[in-house]
Amino acid sequence: QVQLAESGGGLVQAGASLRLSCTASGRTFETYRMAWFRQPPGKEREFVAAISQTGIITSYGDSVKGRFTISRDSTKNAVYLQMSGLKPDDTAVYYCAADSSAFNILDVVNTNNYASWGQGTRVLVSS
């Protein structure tokens, strides 16, 4: 498994932008598909975005399409989530996840399909 650490969360106003970062330990970062999930207060964890091992394929949850962008930098063992047009409904703890399985558009949305998780970073969007 890989160790993950998120950063970049904070308090912002609606309409603002924020970039979350997730750094991974180990030397095999390029073998992991990466994803971001979020857990709003009092709700279940939900899929936000995923990116394939090569970075070529991405997938997004319906609520963030067109506003969020996932990317990765294998030279830094990092995956990013660029968030723009933030809304109060985006308030949540954001988690980074990794798994060595092949990227499958149906599998990446399920929390059960990730072996490694970070501790989360909190994002609060005020109206």
Side-chain angles (χ1 to χ4, degrees), residues 35-95:
W36 288 95
F37 286 77
R38 68 186 183 185
Q39 188 163 11
K43 297 183 179 180
E44 294 187 351
R45 199 168 297 191
E46 63 184 28
F47 173 71
V48 175
I51 189 166
S52 64
Q53 284 84 340
T54 62
I56 294 175
I57 307 172
T58 58
S59 179
Y60 294 92
D62 288 341
S63 61
V64 306
K65 282 180 181 177
R67 299 188 299 123
F68 291 11
T69 302
I70 188 171
S71 62
R72 65 189 295 160
D73 185 344
S74 293
T75 66
K76 298 181 179 180
N77 277 15
V79 63
Y80 306 102
L81 185 68
Q82 179 67 48
M83 306 184 293
S84 61
L86 282 163
K87 307 173 182 179
D89 285 348
D90 294 319
T91 293
V93 177
Y94 284 72
Y95 296 92

